[in-house]
């Protein structure tokens, strides 16, 4: 069978006479439980816990809702796409909508990391402060310095083609997420069991967040980013023995595990640290410090800080080159980026893209030094990250519907049930989250709402739409690089 006429150049044709993806040998099959654990490890983190801890018991509601309207649709829809078409989000959107839309989708996957790293490393800076001097946790200059040093160190490591980073990140899940999270929850329960009152009300009438205008629910936007990345795990659907039955089962188990990792530490923090005193960047360490002090083991605080930092840095190294590598491959094939940004170093690493990204990251890091409230800066950059990534999901949901209609008979290893409904729910939820992100949250404090809207709009719309549009309009035939070129 030949490739479909609408396939972009370089897209793999349907394999065999049936168009199915090649099934792996039996030794390469993975269980649905293993896939659930892989998904949990790539999604779950303690980093967003302080963000939701300010809501106390209502954090359960604020995690479950986006799991239903965003996590499930993205998981099931991306599984169908991955089992029917290889090539990732670029190929899905290029085939379903158009090549320019495909470029926009893969660009947003890359561009969101520009704001993701400052927010991630802002958390690292506040956590590391508890190892050095807790007073530095809200110091903007300290935060900016840690971001700059950590990012450029990561670029240096990545540019040398260092191997074994994935192992570091995998170990970081256990050492920096599961063990500290379980310890925090267990000690929190013992803390309450000893008669200490919870800092947040735990009665049933606090299950729903108090309504104080639209701004009171803005923090839910951050939970969409907490659940993002499911489309990357969907590539493993063809490695299941019975994808149609096992993949949904795996996703439901993963959702349960992810919810436990997110919800229980957030509740434990709300038991220990009053919402008014909670830092969005240093809240995890605040909780550990407080509970360790209650048990007379405060000397463990720096050790936990080191584990959390190592886990975050391992994750940063794993992601640092990934999205930029995908952008590089598509750009060399289609000529979307100028040759300067397509150049590789002697080890085949896209050094110039990483350096250009680093220049922007450095400028963003310096904003931490000039925005008085570090928590506000952290939140702003987290929202921009979410906004840019949501653009990619909007395109993915549209592409999935169009591909189902254009190629209804193409064999897929997995067919999402009620695809149109799933895409409709996911699209509306993503669009609502994108729009709500422009509303300053209550935690923004006395800052100018217009400054907040300007920063978020400039970051999300400028980086997510304007920059790729300019690249696309400026492209030239000479920007295409021959396959196998090492320039």
């Amino acid at each position: 069978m030949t490739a479909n006429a609408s396939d972009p150049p370089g897209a793999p044709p349907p394999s065999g006479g049936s168009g199915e993806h090649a099934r792996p040998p039996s030794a390469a099959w993975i269980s649905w439980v293993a896939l659930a654990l892989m998904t949990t490890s790539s999604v779950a983190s303690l980093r967003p816990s302080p963000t939701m801890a300010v809501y106390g018991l209502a954090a359960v509601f604020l995690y479950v809702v986006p799991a239903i309207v965003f996590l499930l649709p993205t998981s099931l829809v991306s599984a169908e796409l991955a089992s029917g078409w290889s090539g990732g989000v670029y190929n899905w959107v290029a085939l379903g909508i158009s090549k320019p839309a495909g470029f926009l989708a893969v660009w947003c996957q890359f561009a969101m990391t520009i704001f993701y790293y400052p927010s991630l490393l802002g958390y690292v800076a506040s956590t590391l402060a508890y190892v050095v001097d807790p007073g530095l946790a809200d110091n903007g200059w300290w935060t900016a310095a840690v971001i700059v040093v950590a990012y450029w160190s990561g670029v240096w490591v990545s540019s040398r083609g260092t191997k074994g980073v994935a192992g570091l990140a995998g170990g970081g899940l256990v050492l920096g997420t599961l063990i500290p999270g379980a310890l925090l929850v267990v000690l929190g329960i013992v803390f309450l069991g000893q008669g200490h009152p919870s800092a947040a009300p735990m009665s049933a009438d606090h299950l729903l967040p108090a309504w104080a205008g639209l701004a009171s629910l803005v923090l839910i936007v951050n939970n969409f980013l907490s659940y993002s990345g499911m489309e990357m795990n969907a590539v493993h659907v063809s490695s299941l023995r019975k994808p149609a039955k096992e993949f949904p089962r795996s996703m439901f188990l993963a959702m349960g595990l992810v919810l436990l990792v997110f919800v229980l530490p957030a509740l434990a923090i709300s038991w220990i640290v009053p919402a008014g005193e909670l830092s969005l960047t240093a809240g995890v360490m605040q909780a550990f410090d407080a509970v360790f002090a209650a048990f007379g083991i405060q000397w463990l605080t720096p050790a936990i800080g080191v584990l959390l930092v190592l886990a975050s840095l391992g994750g940063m190294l794993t992601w640092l080159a990934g999205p930029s590598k995908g952008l590089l491959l598509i750009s060399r094939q289609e000529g979307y980026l100028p040759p300067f940004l397509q150049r590789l170093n002697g080890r085949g690493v896209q050094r110039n893209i990483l350096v250009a990204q680093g220049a922007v990251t450095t400028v963003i890091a310096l904003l931490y030094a000039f925005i008085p409230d570090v928590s506000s800066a952290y939140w702003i950059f987290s929202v921009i990250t979410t906004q840019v990534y949501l653009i990619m999901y909007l395109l993915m949901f549209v592409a999935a519907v169009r591909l189902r209609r254009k190629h209804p008979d193409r064999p897929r290893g997995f067919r999402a049930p009620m695809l149109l409904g799933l895409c409709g729910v996911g699209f509306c939820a993503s669009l609502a989250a994108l729009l709500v992100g422009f509303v300053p949250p209550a935690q923004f404090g006395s800052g100018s709402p217009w400054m907040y809207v300007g920063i978020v709009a400039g970051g999300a719309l400028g980086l997510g739409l304007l920059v790729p549009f300019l690249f696309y309009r400026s492209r030239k035939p000479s920007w295409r690089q021959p396959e196998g070129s090492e320039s």
Side-chain angles (χ1 to χ4, degrees):
M1 180 180 290
T2 59
N4 188 291
S6 62
D7 286 356
S15 54
S18 66
E20 286 188 90
H21 284 255
R23 295 286 285 164
S26 59
W29 281 337
I30 61 174
S31 69
W32 64 272
V33 175
L35 180 57
L37 295 177
M38 290 169 59
T39 302
T40 303
S41 68
S42 64
V43 174
S45 169
L46 293 181
R47 189 166 67 94
S49 297
T51 303
M52 287 297 109
V54 299
Y55 283 97
L57 191 58
V60 178
F61 171 84
L62 295 176
Y63 270 123
V64 170
V65 170
I68 294 173
V69 302
F70 182 76
L71 176 61
L72 272 182
T74 56
S75 301
L76 299 180
V77 170
S78 61
E80 171 167 330
L81 293 173
S83 68
W85 292 267
S86 58
V89 69
Y90 171 78
N91 209 27
W92 305 341
V93 177
L95 289 172
I97 304 176
S98 66
K99 285 186 181 180
F103 172 60
L104 176 59
V106 77
W107 169 267
C108 287
Q109 266 193 330
F110 160 75
M112 77 93 178
T113 64
I114 295 178
F115 289 97
Y116 171 72
Y117 294 129
S119 62
L120 170 66
L121 295 177
Y123 162 76
V124 168
S126 295
T127 302
L128 192 59
Y130 276 80
V131 179
V132 181
D133 177 9
L136 294 172
D138 291 318
N139 186 300
W141 286 104
W142 162 262
T143 303
V146 170
I147 292 173
V148 171
V149 172
Y151 179 84
W152 286 107
S153 297
V155 169
W156 180 79
V157 171
S158 297
S159 67
R160 297 181 62 83
T162 302
K163 297 181 180 180
V165 172
L168 174 62
L173 169 72
V174 176
L175 295 177
T177 299
L178 298 184
I179 292 178
L183 181 61
L184 181 62
V185 172
V186 169
L187 292 182
I189 293 173
V190 174
F191 178 82
L192 295 180
Q194 291 181 339
H196 297 281
S198 171
M202 290 290 118
S203 55
D205 56 339
H206 288 87
L207 276 171
L208 297 179
W211 178 255
L214 188 59
S216 64
L217 289 178
V218 169
L219 283 176
I220 197 174
V221 173
N222 202 41
N223 287 352
F224 281 73
L225 183 63
S226 298
Y227 291 133
S228 63
M230 299 299 293
E231 76 283 357
M232 299 179 186
N233 292 284
V235 299
H236 300 294
V237 68
S238 61
S239 297
L240 296 171
R241 290 178 182 268
K242 299 177 181 179
K245 293 182 178 180
E246 293 181 344
F247 189 83
R249 192 182 303 168
S250 175
M251 287 303 101
F252 279 111
L253 175 58
M255 186 173 73
L257 293 174
V258 169
L259 283 172
L260 288 177
V261 173
F262 282 147
V263 171
L264 295 183
L267 288 178
I269 292 174
S270 72
W271 298 335
I272 301 164
V273 184
E277 301 175 9
L278 192 62
S279 165
L280 297 186
T281 52
V284 174
M285 293 307 299
Q286 282 181 315
F288 275 114
D289 197 50
V291 75
F292 286 166
F295 287 94
I297 53 174
Q298 204 167 7
W299 55 270
L300 278 177
T301 300
I304 291 293
V306 170
L307 292 178
L308 295 175
V309 166
L310 290 178
S312 297
L313 293 179
M316 186 200 78
L317 288 174
T318 302
W319 283 90
L320 187 60
S324 59
K325 185 70 172 181
L327 178 65
L328 173 79
L329 295 176
I330 296 303
S331 297
R332 289 171 71 87
Q333 174 182 294
E334 300 290 341
Y336 289 138
L337 295 180
F340 172 78
L341 292 177
Q342 298 184 33
R343 291 176 186 166
L344 307 175
N345 66 7
R347 294 179 172 85
V349 176
Q350 59 281 11
R351 180 187 57 197
N352 287 5
I353 290 182
L354 295 177
V355 170
Q357 182 182 15
V360 179
T361 300
T362 300
V363 173
I364 295 172
L366 293 176
L367 291 178
Y368 274 94
F370 296 104
I371 297 179
D373 184 357
V374 172
S375 287
S376 294
Y378 172 83
W379 174 248
I380 288 173
F381 295 135
S382 294
V383 169
I384 292 175
T385 300
T386 306
Q387 305 289 73
V388 173
Y389 212 7
L390 285 171
I391 295 173
M392 185 276 293
Y393 282 114
L394 292 173
L395 294 170
M396 187 188 78
F397 287 125
V398 173
V401 173
R402 290 174 63 91
L403 285 172
R404 175 71 76 89
R405 291 176 177 173
K406 290 167 63 177
H407 306 285
D409 298 324
R410 178 171 178 130
R412 299 152 168 87
F414 171 78
R415 283 182 176 266
M418 301 180 294
L419 179 76
L420 183 60
L422 285 173
C423 290
V425 171
F427 184 92
C428 291
S430 300
L431 181 61
L434 192 150
L435 296 176
V436 168
F438 290 103
V439 180
Q443 283 75 12
F444 189 64
S446 58
S448 168
W450 291 110
M451 181 183 73
Y452 176 91
V453 172
I455 293 175
V456 171
L461 300 181
L463 185 64
L465 296 177
L466 179 60
V467 173
F469 172 77
L470 294 176
F471 274 129
Y472 187 81
R473 288 296 300 269
S474 303
R475 73 193 189 285
K476 301 175 182 178
S478 60
W479 287 8
R480 293 191 180 191
Q481 300 294 316
E483 188 174 352
S485 171
E486 298 298 328
S487 62

